[in-house]
Amino acid sequence: MVDVVIIGGGPAGSAMGSFLSMKGISNIIIEKEIHPRPHVGESMVTSSTRIFEEIGFLPTMEKEAFVHKFGASWHEPGGREFQIRFEEFPQEGIRQPYTYHVDRGKFDLLLFKNAQRLGSQTIQGVGVKQVLFEEDRAVGVRIRLGDQDVDIPAKMVVDASGRSTILGRQLNTKKNDPIFNQYAVHAWYENVARGEIPISEDYIHIYFLPVERGWAWQIPINEKITSMGIVVEREVFREFKGDMEAYFNTYVASNPALKKALEPATRVNEFKTEGDYSYSMSSFVGNGFLMVGDAARFVDPIFSSGVSIALYSAKFAAETIETALKANNVSEEMLMPYEKKLRGGVSVWYEFIRLYYKLLPLFTHFIQSKKYRLEILRLLQGEVFERSEVDILDAMRRYIETVEKTENHIFKKQLSSIPLDEIPETILASSQPTPH
Ligand SMILES: Cc1cc2nc3c(=O)[nH]c(=O)nc-3n(C[C@H](O)[C@H](O)[C@H](O)COP(=O)(O)OP(=O)(O)OC[C@H]3O[C@@H](n4cnc5c(N)ncnc54)[C@H](O)[C@@H]3O)c2cc1C
């Protein structure tokens, strides 16, 4: 019997397989699609580099010449632009002052191959139908091969099925986020006017849009292609009367810098949409199973944190699984250290994102401030997993409180309706008993 069966071969599943194989833990990754397959989520944060190094994948990233991402740039509708460069805050032990923009089809295929190279068995083009339980313990998965159901037994099951959240749906532990209900429309374009910066040193460009929680991304995929996406509240999208092209162009026109970038451009593939992507499972672990990456939770892609969280959750999960298998005890209790660690990290991102959306000018104000710039940059790099390490979030809160209390504050009108105090229970802490 294999030690661990992994559902899904995206970044979380392939990193999971890689880490387990390096620890001598046998594993099989079952992927529903056949790589390469398209996927949203093309811009990384620098913390990913550390994981690439640990699983021997960094040379591949360099050899395949993915676009280097040296920083980020925010564009206000009024014309002002704010930039950060990762090199301003060097990461201990990392020699590269940049991360990557990727074609996810190619990136996910290479990461999947890396897991194979390190020893993961793999199956592609076959979806997992359900996780098998004996009493309340996961004992394997069921797949459909031809016209037959086949059961694959394992000592542990890892759900890395991304937003399919196969286990969360099976166990009914998925909770939609009470605040964020964003909707994204995106496509690839050729000939986007990407400005003065050569592609070898490019940034992600974020454009603020004049609707609550509205923004657009511009991510260079290669010399020719740029990924463009518009994100707004789902309601705002629903209320729009017109086709997708008209919708996209309306929001493009609402920020002059974005309009200018897209003026000479041609769309080269169909629009894709992404909705319902803010949720959390009430628990990330249970007897004989755990969830990694988007299968555990996902909030909002504004800071490009998704792939990094997927990779780190795999690393933390592999450490916990190793201990549990050595002790011959894969109970929920044994797996709980993983849940605590991951929740610590995603709660930091979640709070940061909420504060960001609460008062947009505060973010641009802080990244221009000598006092706070580096701390913001450190958060944006994605290596903080303890709330106690991020005083900057308290500083952001205090600033917002001052704006709320001060009549005629210049930022007062820009406070959004997001509540800051009621952080949903499912976000902060686990754990309720898992129903089966
Ligand atoms: C609009 C939007 C923009 C984003 N932008 C960014 C960004 O710029 N940067 C960033 O880092 N992140 C971004 N993200 C998030 C990023 O896409 C995800 O966080 C990341 O892909 C998570 O990796 P994963 O391996 O957990 O899931 P996935 O990458 O989704 O992989 C899951 C895999 O499981 C497979 N699968 C599903 N069901 C089954 C099944 N039943 N059986 C077998 N296999 C199955 C799927 O085919 C898939 O290959 C964005 C997300 C959205 C919605």
Side-chain angles (χ1 to χ4, degrees):
M1 190 196 327
V2 74
D3 290 326
V4 181
V5 60
I6 301 165
I7 310 167
S14 295
M16 186 78 246
S18 300
F19 277 115
L20 290 176
S21 299
M22 285 164 66
K23 292 176 185 298
I25 297 170
S26 65
N27 63 89
I28 180 165
I29 306 173
I30 303 172
E31 167 56 48
K32 182 175 75 172
E33 309 278 339
I34 295 176
H35 285 299
R37 49 102 184 89
H39 203 292
V40 71
E42 297 151 319
S43 186
M44 305 211 171
V45 291
T46 50
S47 53
S48 305
T49 308
R50 203 179 296 283
I51 303 285
F52 295 153
E53 238 176 347
E54 286 180 14
I55 61 175
F57 188 61
L58 199 51
T60 307
M61 290 302 290
E62 288 297 302
K63 188 167 139 260
E64 294 294 331
F66 287 108
V67 177
H68 291 171
K69 172 183 172 184
F70 279 81
S73 182
W74 287 267
H75 303 255
E76 285 183 349
R80 289 196 305 169
E81 184 180 352
F82 308 92
Q83 294 185 342
I84 52 128
R85 282 181 73 85
F86 297 127
E87 68 191 359
E88 293 174 55
F89 191 91
Q91 286 172 283
E92 213 183 311
I94 301 283
R95 290 179 300 277
Q96 302 183 169
Y98 57 82
T99 174
Y100 303 93
H101 298 293
V102 298
D103 165 353
R104 282 290 302 273
K106 180 175 166 186
F107 170 76
D108 287 22
L109 167 67
L110 292 168
L111 205 54
F112 192 71
K113 282 190 173 167
N114 192 65
Q116 290 172 326
R117 174 182 72 81
L118 290 168
S120 298
Q121 299 173 63
T122 56
I123 304 181
Q124 289 193 71
V126 176
V128 168
K129 282 177 68 181
Q130 70 178 98
V131 176
L132 303 169
F133 281 87
E134 268 172 21
E135 294 179 358
D136 69 346
R137 189 164 85 86
V139 292
V141 299
R142 178 162 297 158
I143 59 175
R144 185 88 180 158
L145 277 184
D147 56 1
Q148 272 192 328
D149 280 345
V150 177
D151 291 350
I152 302 182
K155 292 180 191 161
M156 268 205 68
V157 176
V158 171
D159 184 6
S161 65
R163 285 187 281 138
S164 295
T165 58
I166 183 165
L167 199 42
R169 283 192 287 117
Q170 183 176 331
L171 301 177
N172 201 18
T173 55
K174 186 171 179 177
K175 312 277 177 225
N176 283 336
D177 190 280
I179 297 166
F180 293 101
N181 192 7
Q182 305 278 92
Y183 197 82
V185 178
H186 58 107
W188 279 1
Y189 285 78
E190 275 185 8
N191 294 326
V192 172
R194 297 197 289 215
E196 301 297 305
I197 304 172
I199 189 161
S200 55
E201 290 192 24
D202 213 348
Y203 296 169
I204 185 173
H205 292 266
I206 303 287
Y207 299 89
F208 296 124
L209 304 180
V211 283
E212 194 164 314
R213 280 175 253 175
W215 57 280
W217 76 70
Q218 174 186 317
I219 298 172
I221 300 297
N222 57 36
E223 281 289 345
K224 281 191 181 154
I225 292 178
T226 309
S227 171
M228 306 294 303
I230 301 278
V231 181
V232 295
E233 282 278 274
R234 180 184 272 274
E235 267 318 295
V236 174
F237 175 76
R238 267 207 201 116
E239 279 162 17
F240 186 83
K241 306 267 178 291
D243 65 13
M244 201 65 101
E245 190 92 53
Y247 165 80
F248 204 86
N249 291 339
T250 300
Y251 283 100
V252 166
S254 71
N255 182 311
L258 176 60
K259 185 166 180 249
K260 195 168 161 216
L262 270 171
E263 236 144 34
T266 317
R267 184 160 56 81
V268 292
N269 62 12
E270 292 301 312
F271 285 118
K272 294 187 199 72
T273 61
E274 321 280 338
D276 295 329
Y277 53 72
S278 296
Y279 55 77
S280 175
M281 304 311 133
S282 53
S283 165
F284 300 165
V285 302
N287 294 328
F289 70 83
L290 55 76
M291 301 157 182
V292 290
D294 283 7
R297 79 162 296 213
F298 188 66
V299 183
D300 187 285
I302 180 70
F303 293 129
S304 309
S305 53
V307 170
S308 167
I309 293 173
L311 299 172
Y312 275 83
S313 65
K315 173 187 161 88
F316 300 148
E319 286 161 6
T320 301
I321 290 174
E322 184 181 35
T323 311
L325 288 179
K326 272 193 187 141
N328 202 18
N329 176 359
V330 294
S331 65
E332 179 169 2
E333 199 186 355
M334 277 302 278
L335 303 176
M336 199 47 87
Y338 160 71
E339 166 135 6
K340 288 218 169 84
K341 181 97 183 171
L342 185 62
R343 269 194 204 274
V346 286
S347 309
V348 168
W349 277 117
Y350 188 72
E351 193 176 348
F352 185 31
I353 289 167
R354 290 224 298 185
L355 291 162
Y356 171 87
Y357 279 125
K358 179 74 189 173
L359 184 60
L360 281 183
L362 172 64
F363 176 76
T364 44
H365 177 61
F366 270 33
I367 58 172
Q368 293 174 90
S369 126
K370 261 198 180 139
K371 189 168 168 201
Y372 296 124
R373 184 177 173 85
L374 287 188
E375 281 193 68
I376 293 275
L377 195 47
R378 179 166 163 255
L379 262 187
L380 291 173
Q381 289 178 331
E383 276 199 303
V384 185
F385 285 87
E386 293 284 340
R387 177 61 177 83
S388 55
E389 289 173 19
V390 276
D391 296 344
I392 183 76
L393 295 180
D394 299 318
M396 288 176 85
R397 268 178 189 278
R398 282 196 299 275
Y399 197 97
I400 288 171
E401 275 162 24
T402 308
V403 175
E404 281 172 333
K405 280 186 211 142
T406 314
E407 244 175 83
N408 303 327
H409 195 290
I410 47 163
F411 290 158
K412 187 112 179 173
K413 282 205 176 113
Q414 296 177 68
L415 279 169
S416 81
S417 58
I418 288 192
L420 287 186
D421 294 332
E422 314 132 33
I423 294 201
E425 242 176 73
T426 50
I427 304 302
L428 281 182
S430 175
S431 168
Q432 296 131 29
T434 318
H436 296 295

